């Protein structure tokens, strides 16, 4: 069965690569400007490693601290780049700093403050993206679009945290215009932030687009797309398991 699932993954990776190429050609973009991140929640290490082995610049993202801690030590050397893409509770910062190269889901000043303090304590630095709730759904985490600039300004005061761009989860909808509107909102927030020329703040990365909407995201300027289902198959848990966690 493992062999079977490996060839499935290889096939799915080829399909995704092709989708990226097609979307880039439609948007007149260079495919090298779009990075694929494997959204590997619920997927076991052998399958993740198989997918990573097919990538030029292996990049994976985990949603839950528990899975991050379980899987990362088992990944063979050299390690892939690992991003944390789930809701981060401040009492789990320490574990995430141990394994992640970037936290894509910073969405509130209190979390940033605690992150800064821990980074000072460990004498480390961390790259982050600011997560924006562009769909205004209550079930989604992320700062409200209207408050994104303010949050970025606050975080920019923390010298150990390096803002590299923005992340969002688009609306789950068959209405492509509504999905697109979410991504366009992220782009316009980026423009607003860039125009302020805040010292230390970079806006190079736009992490947006998943299995169902990556073409739209690429057309709107995504630099990182986060893909799970289209590579690894359906998950056994509903996404609400990951996105409706209790806030602390
Ligand atoms: C699961 C997940 C993805 C990937 O979603 P798919 O629909 O499985 O491609 C992307 N981003 C985040 C934050 C996720 O939790």
């Amino acid at each position: 069965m493992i062999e079977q699932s490996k060839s499935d993954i290889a096939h799915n990776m080829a399909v995704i690569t092709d989708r990226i190429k097609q979307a880039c050609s439609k948007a007149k973009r260079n495919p090298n400007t779009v990075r694929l991140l494997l959204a590997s929640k619920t997927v076991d290490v052998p399958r993740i490693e198989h997918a990573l082995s097919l990538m030029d610049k292996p990049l994976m993202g985990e949603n839950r601290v528990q899975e991050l801690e379980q899987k990362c030590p088992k990944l063979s050397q050299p390690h892939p780049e690992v991003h944390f893409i789930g809701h981060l509770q401040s009492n789990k910062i320490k574990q995430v700093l141990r394994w992640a190269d970037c936290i894509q889901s910073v969405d509130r000043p209190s979390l940033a403050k605690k992150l800064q303090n821990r980074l000072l304590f460990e004498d480390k630095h961390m790259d982050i993206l600011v997560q924006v709730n562009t769909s205004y759904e209550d079930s989604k985490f992320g700062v409200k679009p209207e408050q994104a600039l303010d949050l970025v300004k606050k975080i920019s005061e923390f010298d150990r945290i390096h803002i590299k761009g923005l992340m969002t989860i688009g609306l789950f909808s068959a209405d492509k215009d509504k999905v697109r509107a979410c991504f366009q909102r992220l782009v316009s927030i980026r423009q607003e932030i860039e125009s302020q020329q805040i010292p230390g703040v970079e806006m190079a990365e736009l992490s947006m687009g998943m299995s169902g909407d990556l073409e739209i995201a690429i057309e709107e300027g995504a630099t990182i797309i986060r893909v799970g289902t289209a590579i690894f198959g359906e998950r056994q848990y509903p996404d609400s398991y990951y996105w409706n966690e209790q806030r602390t």
Side-chain angles (χ1 to χ4, degrees):
M1 291 317 282
I2 286 180
E3 289 312 307
Q4 176 61 37
S5 90
K6 278 195 175 171
S7 69
D8 283 349
I9 288 171
H11 172 259
N12 293 344
M13 288 288 282
V15 172
I16 286 293
T17 307
D18 201 54
R19 283 176 64 185
I20 295 170
K21 276 200 194 125
Q22 298 280 343
C24 283
S25 113
K26 193 173 162 198
K28 302 198 165 50
R29 293 186 57 191
N30 179 342
N32 294 333
T33 63
V34 180
R35 249 188 120 182
L36 173 63
L37 174 148
L38 300 178
S40 46
K41 54 178 179 268
T42 78
V43 182
D44 59 28
V45 171
R47 291 197 299 147
I48 296 171
E49 291 213 297
H50 184 61
L52 288 169
S53 75
L54 302 167
M55 303 173 81
D56 290 337
K57 287 193 211 151
L59 172 62
M60 61 179 278
E62 283 291 345
N63 290 70
R64 291 211 144 191
V65 176
Q66 201 188 348
E67 285 184 61
L68 187 78
E69 281 191 292
Q70 279 168 357
K71 294 176 200 174
C72 286
K74 294 188 197 142
L75 293 167
S76 57
Q77 305 291 337
H79 260 250
E81 190 174 328
V82 178
H83 290 193
F84 189 77
I85 61 173
H87 176 61
L88 179 53
Q89 296 172 330
S90 49
N91 60 353
K92 305 263 174 72
I93 286 174
K94 198 175 136 190
Q95 292 90 316
V96 171
L97 289 187
R98 173 137 190 233
W99 298 109
D101 301 296
C102 173
I103 303 172
Q104 294 203 1
S105 48
V106 177
D107 63 357
R108 56 203 192 277
S110 60
L111 175 66
K113 175 97 182 82
K114 287 186 176 137
L115 190 56
Q116 164 76 3
N117 287 344
R118 186 72 208 177
L119 287 164
L120 280 171
F121 180 78
E122 295 187 14
D123 194 16
K124 280 172 98 174
H125 292 256
M126 181 54 68
D127 289 346
I128 67 143
L129 305 183
V130 168
Q131 182 177 356
V132 185
N133 185 355
T134 54
S135 65
Y136 292 95
E137 290 167 286
D138 289 339
S139 63
K140 301 257 176 76
F141 292 102
V143 65
K144 288 221 172 68
E146 294 73 23
Q147 292 159 7
L149 173 60
D150 197 44
L151 177 61
V152 167
K153 281 185 181 158
K154 281 195 179 118
I155 300 175
S156 73
E157 314 254 308
F158 297 134
D159 64 338
R160 298 297 171 128
I161 304 177
H162 306 290
I163 302 177
K164 299 291 179 187
L166 305 173
M167 183 271 245
T168 199
I169 299 169
L171 185 75
F172 292 123
S173 167
D175 185 338
K176 291 192 174 179
D177 292 340
K178 286 189 181 155
V179 179
R180 191 180 295 278
C182 291
F183 299 147
Q184 289 175 338
R185 214 164 272 142
L186 201 70
V187 171
S188 78
I189 293 166
R190 187 213 356 217
Q191 278 164 358
E192 185 194 10
I193 293 168
E194 271 183 333
S195 74
Q196 305 271 318
Q197 299 188 313
I198 307 163
V201 173
E202 286 174 40
M203 281 288 126
E205 304 295 345
L206 284 182
S207 175
M208 58 188 196
M210 314 192 340
S211 295
D213 55 19
L214 67 89
E215 283 84 359
I216 303 173
I218 289 172
E219 282 167 31
E220 297 303 329
T223 63
I224 300 174
I225 55 168
R226 309 176 309 266
V227 180
T229 315
I231 292 168
F232 299 113
E234 293 295 331
R235 290 179 286 273
Q236 64 189 114
Y237 299 106
D239 284 330
S240 57
Y241 175 74
Y242 289 90
W243 290 332
N244 294 339
E245 286 184 289
Q246 290 275 282
R247 287 167 192 256
T248 52

